[in-house]
Amino acid sequence: MNVVLIGAGNLATRLSLALHAAEVRIVQVYSRTIAHAGKLAAQLGCSYTDKLEAINPGADLYIYSLKDEALPQVLRRVAPNGGLWVHTAGSVSMDVFKGYIPRYGVLYPLQTFSKERRVDFSEVPFFIEAATEEDTLLLQKIAGLLSGKVQKLSSEKRKIVHLAAVFACNFTNHMYVLADNILKENGLSFDLMLPLIGETAAKVKDMAPSDAQTGPAIRYDKNVMQRQLDMLGSDEQKEIYKIVSKNIHKEALRHE
Amino acid sequence: MNVVLIGAGNLATRLSLALHAAEVRIVQVYSRTIAHAGKLAAQLGCSYTDKLEAINPGADLYIYSLKDEALPQVLRRVAPNGGLWVHTAGSVSMDVFKGYIPRYGVLYPLQTFSKERRVDFSEVPFFIEAATEEDTLLLQKIAGLLSGKVQKLSSEKRKIVHLAAVFACNFTNHMYVLADNILKENGLSFDLMLPLIGETAAKVKDMAPSDAQTGPAIRYDKNVMQRQLDMLGSDEQKEIYKIVSKNIHKEALRHE
């Protein structure tokens, strides 16, 4: 099994390093930024390029790990071949490959990746999809080398999972950013929040998020909320505070 | 050291059970809802009441753990005495007690509490404050029985910590609620999100939240965002999606 990696971003980096550690052979890395391709290729012990026409045509698996908007154009600049082409995006349909090459699919690991941070893949859910049953089994096998949680999922359902993940991860992290800003502006350390953040995440393993909700917004106490609004420095902070509080209250009434 | 607990909510429950386990003697629980007082008192092996005039006047420490808006009125209906009176609220000034009793302070554990969920207090930051140095030391000793992270903090700074916690915990949990709703509406399980939620929380132990940010909003890709907006069912979901995405993009530009 020879793999070509198209892309050298956060997900491409962590996924290829995990495959490499599982003794899957990555033979080439492409990135339009040659330094990024070179850096990752050095870790994988393989060749690299910034030219789409130089992509190795004889590999078994081509993993496209690119920005959503770049994928459709980039893949059409790679010469069709007999390998299995997959992308790793949550919100892009498998059909992006349709009509261009015979064998295609999706390999979507649901996790937040940063280049410099190791991830334990064994618990990462992989959502897979392929045009044929045979290639579905192949993707199941490959993802199964990394994770115990591999499942078939349609493009439509995968988009839902990705949308939920935007809230559960990207928006959650932005709440951490806002907390960090508030603390920094007042000479306090974000580290104070870590036990709270850990427990907030741990709670929803054992109870529904709506049951885990705490805080002043539940009762929508206008006095507390007005005082907290007055403490916020920017209009964006105030706007987010208002709408999220309003919605917490609304959900609390719904679950009463 | 005899303690009277005024309040039997989430924080009162978990804090008193932790003190009880640390062999601090809770002698009485007050709640305006007698069933709540009775239930907690049974776990603590102490007396209970729903009458403020029946509160034991001879205790060493009175812990007021009430809703912010109820505290000022309730405490004035308890006869003054020589014990140390503290509240446990993040956003209420210590001065709420001033002029009414001689000994007062604050004992604020920064954590999210639910009645039925055990919390490991050893890592919970306690922020304390008292009118005298002697009572500050007493609170340090009491909080120190539960946690290794006890620190003095002014009412002003404590309000900042509480405001940051609203974002890092209450608003974060609401993001989990929104993810849960999106998944439920589409017949998918919230459990799929757990490894992602765990990693999102774990990342900010090692990197600044702004460095940990991932997701489509960073680049503010209008195509992806419009498609995701179209998938959201309610106006509130759409509004939160828009404003949080806009602010993630703004922060990303600021950190570039």
Side-chain angles (χ1 to χ4, degrees):
Chain A
M1 161 81 56
N2 288 341
V3 178
V4 169
L5 188 72
I6 297 103
N10 294 343
L11 192 158
T13 297
R14 299 318 318 180
L15 178 62
S16 63
L17 288 170
L19 287 169
H20 180 69
E23 300 188 349
V24 175
R25 202 165 144 228
I26 318 283
V27 295
Q28 189 182 33
V29 175
Y30 161 87
S31 168
R32 63 174 180 172
T33 310
I34 192 73
H36 294 171
K39 190 178 172 194
L40 180 53
Q43 293 173 269
L44 297 168
C46 71
S47 70
Y48 61 100
T49 181
D50 63 350
K51 289 177 182 47
L52 289 167
E53 59 275 21
I55 281 177
N56 180 333
D60 304 295
L61 180 67
Y62 294 79
I63 301 177
Y64 286 82
S65 189
L66 301 165
K67 287 170 190 160
D68 291 6
E69 63 275 22
L71 178 62
Q73 300 101 294
V74 171
L75 77 89
R76 277 173 180 73
R77 291 170 53 208
V78 180
N81 60 43
L84 171 59
W85 292 23
V86 298
H87 72 69
T88 59
S91 54
V92 178
S93 168
M94 176 172 76
D95 290 347
V96 69
F97 295 114
K98 201 173 175 176
Y100 188 67
I101 39 146
R103 295 177 57 205
Y104 56 88
V106 178
L107 180 71
Y108 173 53
L110 177 63
Q111 191 49 281
T112 168
F113 298 103
S114 295
K115 275 189 193 173
E116 304 302 331
R117 182 174 166 84
R118 255 188 95 91
V119 162
D120 172 13
F121 272 86
S122 68
E123 292 290 311
V124 173
F126 273 78
F127 299 100
I128 58 160
E129 197 185 2
T132 67
E133 192 53 36
E134 208 180 330
D135 283 335
T136 307
L137 289 174
L138 183 59
L139 289 178
Q140 201 126 34
K141 212 175 113 191
I142 295 163
L145 295 171
L146 305 183
S147 167
K149 293 180 168 178
V150 183
Q151 59 179 282
K152 264 178 76 172
L153 199 75
S154 70
S155 288
E156 279 317 300
K157 294 266 184 196
R158 178 161 35 76
K159 284 176 198 180
I160 299 292
V161 168
H162 181 252
L163 179 60
V166 164
F167 283 88
C169 166
N170 306 152
F171 288 5
T172 285
N173 188 75
H174 188 61
M175 299 302 126
Y176 303 160
V177 169
L178 293 171
D180 188 22
N181 290 349
I182 291 165
L183 292 163
K184 260 199 216 119
E185 286 159 18
N186 290 280
L188 290 161
S189 163
F190 181 71
D191 286 355
L192 295 173
M193 296 289 124
L194 292 176
L196 178 64
I197 285 172
E199 171 68 2
T200 305
K203 268 175 111 170
V204 293
K205 287 184 200 168
D206 301 324
M207 51 176 96
S210 56
D211 293 333
Q213 189 69 54
T214 56
I218 294 179
R219 299 180 303 277
Y220 209 68
D221 176 349
K222 288 200 177 153
N223 292 325
V224 178
M225 289 179 50
Q226 192 54 54
R227 267 183 281 134
Q228 294 207 318
L229 276 170
D230 291 343
M231 292 164 72
L232 291 169
S234 77
D235 289 346
E236 288 86 353
Q237 288 174 342
K238 285 179 205 279
E239 209 180 336
I240 290 174
Y241 183 93
K242 272 191 265 189
I243 176 168
V244 176
S245 294
K246 206 173 76 180
N247 214 43
I248 287 173
H249 180 60
K250 201 175 156 181
E251 281 286 330
L253 294 178
R254 205 161 72 88
H255 285 92
E256 245 175 20
Chain B
M1 162 79 57
N2 288 342
V3 179
V4 168
L5 188 72
I6 297 103
N10 295 341
L11 192 158
T13 298
R14 298 318 317 179
L15 178 62
S16 62
L17 289 170
L19 286 169
H20 180 68
E23 301 189 350
V24 175
R25 199 164 146 231
I26 318 282
V27 293
Q28 189 182 33
V29 175
Y30 161 87
S31 168
R32 63 173 178 172
T33 310
I34 192 72
H36 294 171
K39 190 177 173 195
L40 181 52
Q43 293 173 270
L44 297 167
C46 71
S47 70
Y48 61 98
T49 181
D50 63 351
K51 291 178 180 46
L52 288 168
E53 60 275 20
I55 282 178
N56 181 334
D60 304 296
L61 181 66
Y62 294 80
I63 302 177
Y64 286 83
S65 188
L66 300 165
K67 288 169 190 160
D68 291 6
E69 64 275 22
L71 178 61
Q73 300 102 292
V74 170
L75 76 89
R76 275 170 182 73
R77 291 170 52 209
V78 180
N81 60 43
L84 172 59
W85 292 22
V86 298
H87 73 69
T88 59
S91 55
V92 178
S93 168
M94 176 172 75
D95 290 347
V96 70
F97 294 114
K98 203 173 173 175
Y100 188 66
I101 39 147
R103 297 175 57 205
Y104 55 89
V106 178
L107 181 71
Y108 172 53
L110 178 64
Q111 191 48 280
T112 168
F113 298 103
S114 294
K115 276 189 192 172
E116 304 302 331
R117 182 174 165 82
R118 254 187 95 92
V119 162
D120 172 13
F121 272 86
S122 68
E123 292 291 310
V124 173
F126 273 78
F127 299 100
I128 59 160
E129 197 184 4
T132 67
E133 192 54 36
E134 209 181 328
D135 283 336
T136 307
L137 289 173
L138 183 59
L139 289 178
Q140 201 126 32
K141 214 176 111 191
I142 294 163
L145 295 171
L146 305 183
S147 166
K149 293 178 167 180
V150 184
Q151 59 180 280
K152 264 179 74 173
L153 200 75
S154 70
S155 288
E156 279 316 300
K157 293 267 183 193
R158 180 161 33 78
K159 284 178 198 178
I160 300 292
V161 168
H162 182 251
L163 179 59
V166 164
F167 284 88
C169 165
N170 305 151
F171 288 5
T172 285
N173 188 76
H174 188 62
M175 299 302 125
Y176 303 160
V177 168
L178 292 171
D180 188 21
N181 289 349
I182 291 165
L183 291 164
K184 259 198 218 120
E185 285 159 18
N186 291 279
L188 290 161
S189 163
F190 181 72
D191 286 355
L192 294 173
M193 296 289 125
L194 293 176
L196 179 63
I197 284 172
E199 170 68 2
T200 304
K203 268 175 111 169
V204 293
K205 287 185 202 169
D206 301 324
M207 51 176 94
S210 56
D211 294 333
Q213 189 68 55
T214 56
I218 294 179
R219 299 179 305 277
Y220 209 67
D221 176 351
K222 288 201 178 154
N223 292 325
V224 177
M225 289 179 48
Q226 191 55 54
R227 266 183 282 133
Q228 294 207 318
L229 274 171
D230 292 342
M231 291 164 73
L232 291 169
S234 78
D235 290 346
E236 288 87 353
Q237 287 174 341
K238 285 180 206 280
E239 209 180 337
I240 291 174
Y241 183 94
K242 272 192 263 187
I243 177 167
V244 176
S245 294
K246 206 173 75 178
N247 215 43
I248 288 174
H249 181 59
K250 201 174 154 181
E251 282 286 329
L253 294 178
R254 204 162 73 87
H255 286 93
E256 247 177 21

